[in-house]
Amino acid sequence: MPVSIKSQREIELMTEAGRILAIVHEEIEKALHPGMTTLDIDRLGEEVIRSYGCIPSFLNYNGYPASICVSVNDEVVHGIPSSKRILKEGDIVGIDAGVIYKGYHSDAARTHGIGKINKEAEELIKVTKESFFEGIKYAKEGHYLFEISAAIGRYAKERGFGVVRDLCGHGIGVNLHEAPEIPNYEMNRKGMKLRAGMTLAIEPMINAGNDQVDWLDDDWTVVTRDGSLSAHYENTVLITENEPKLLTLLK
């Protein structure tokens, strides 16, 4: 499938989709506290999304039953919100969300600590976010896609963390998942040359232990095989002729 180059109008719509999603993440982060359930997070996220006239990208996507993916501790991604899953002091929680604004998607994820967390968890969250920013140093027209991948994986691996290989980032636009796939580790080829107007969801998924993961029986929730903590950080990125634009971060 060819990678779509967005028109100026499409970029404007995706920029607004990204801005709204950044607000959704800010509202969720402000609300997080010990004692809330992962279903509380889902309900709040959906409420904020719909308050801007948007549709949750994830709700009923390939059968996913919620608006916000909420992944706790050893859950890597795609955790299903539940009234029985109660956050406690010291947990870390990955929040992955997307919105549809006038037919265009945005996608972003953040990992937060609940109350006071230990040093290992702090370092994992920090390195996961930093690995994203290492990657997007290469998210410019004329560079190659897998330069991004290599930079992400190298940064996390050099700091002793496991880089998930079974999941990857993706293109995004009128569809939540578009070409190309974007691994978070070094490939033995360069990949496609980046062009201005491409929109990419770049999303390191980094484990405190090794890179191995499993799927739970719900067919959605991905967990670390060794039970170690996992963190996730993602933004929707617009490739330009100069520096990339992060559509899901408020300036």
Side-chain angles (χ1 to χ4, degrees):
M1 180 185 297
V3 176
S4 65
I5 303 298
K6 307 304 189 295
S7 68
Q8 186 56 42
R9 176 59 178 159
E10 288 178 308
I11 289 169
E12 290 170 2
L13 293 171
M14 291 193 67
T15 298
E16 182 62 7
R19 185 188 75 84
I20 292 166
L21 182 53
I23 293 169
V24 172
H25 272 289
E26 286 200 344
E27 292 301 311
I28 290 174
E29 181 180 7
K30 286 190 292 187
L32 290 174
H33 64 272
M36 78 185 307
T37 70
T38 56
L39 185 60
D40 293 332
I41 295 170
D42 179 63
R43 287 173 172 165
L44 172 61
E46 180 170 354
E47 179 182 328
V48 178
I49 290 169
R50 294 195 186 279
S51 75
Y52 283 89
C54 295
I55 300 168
S57 294
F58 299 170
L59 184 61
N60 299 319
Y61 181 79
N62 290 339
Y64 185 75
S67 297
I68 312 293
C69 294
V70 187
S71 306
V72 183
N73 294 334
D74 66 333
E75 295 172 352
V76 182
V77 287
H78 304 160
I80 298 175
S82 169
S83 61
K84 297 178 181 178
R85 190 68 185 270
I86 301 171
L87 299 179
K88 62 183 187 300
E89 182 95 8
D91 284 342
I92 67 170
V93 56
I95 308 294
D96 190 2
V99 307
I100 307 170
Y101 173 77
K102 296 186 178 179
Y104 284 83
H105 291 263
S106 58
D107 191 3
R110 311 280 185 259
T111 301
H112 305 288
I114 302 301
K116 184 173 177 57
I117 60 175
N118 65 36
K119 293 293 185 184
E120 178 192 52
E122 284 182 355
E123 183 69 7
L124 172 65
I125 293 171
K126 175 174 171 284
V127 167
T128 301
K129 181 176 180 178
E130 288 172 348
S131 71
F132 168 88
F133 285 99
E134 287 297 310
I136 66 163
K137 289 177 180 178
Y138 301 92
K140 302 175 186 177
E141 185 169 68
H143 280 275
Y144 290 89
L145 183 68
F146 293 156
E147 290 183 89
I148 298 172
S149 303
I152 289 170
R154 182 169 56 246
Y155 187 85
K157 191 173 180 181
E158 286 175 353
R159 284 150 185 80
F161 293 103
V163 181
V164 175
R165 300 174 72 90
D166 289 354
L167 299 150
C168 62
H170 51 90
I172 186 170
V174 292
N175 298 299
L176 177 58
H177 292 99
E178 299 182 351
E181 292 190 342
I182 310 169
N184 293 307
Y185 53 89
E186 189 168 9
M187 306 290 286
N188 59 7
R189 57 193 191 280
K190 294 189 296 186
M192 64 184 298
K193 184 174 279 191
L194 299 174
R195 292 174 55 196
M198 291 179 174
T199 44
L200 308 174
I202 299 170
E203 51 178 322
M205 290 156 274
I206 308 297
N207 299 341
N210 62 45
D211 63 7
Q212 299 298 297
V213 299
D214 291 310
W215 271 253
L216 297 186
D217 289 342
D218 62 22
D219 288 332
W220 279 106
T221 309
V222 182
V223 298
T224 58
R225 186 170 296 172
D226 61 9
S228 64
L229 297 176
S230 187
H232 184 199
Y233 186 84
E234 175 185 23
N235 283 300
T236 299
V237 179
L238 170 66
I239 304 299
T240 76
E241 294 176 355
N242 300 299
E243 293 299 312
K245 293 186 177 179
L246 307 184
L247 303 185
T248 46
L249 278 181
L250 296 175
K251 299 297 182 280

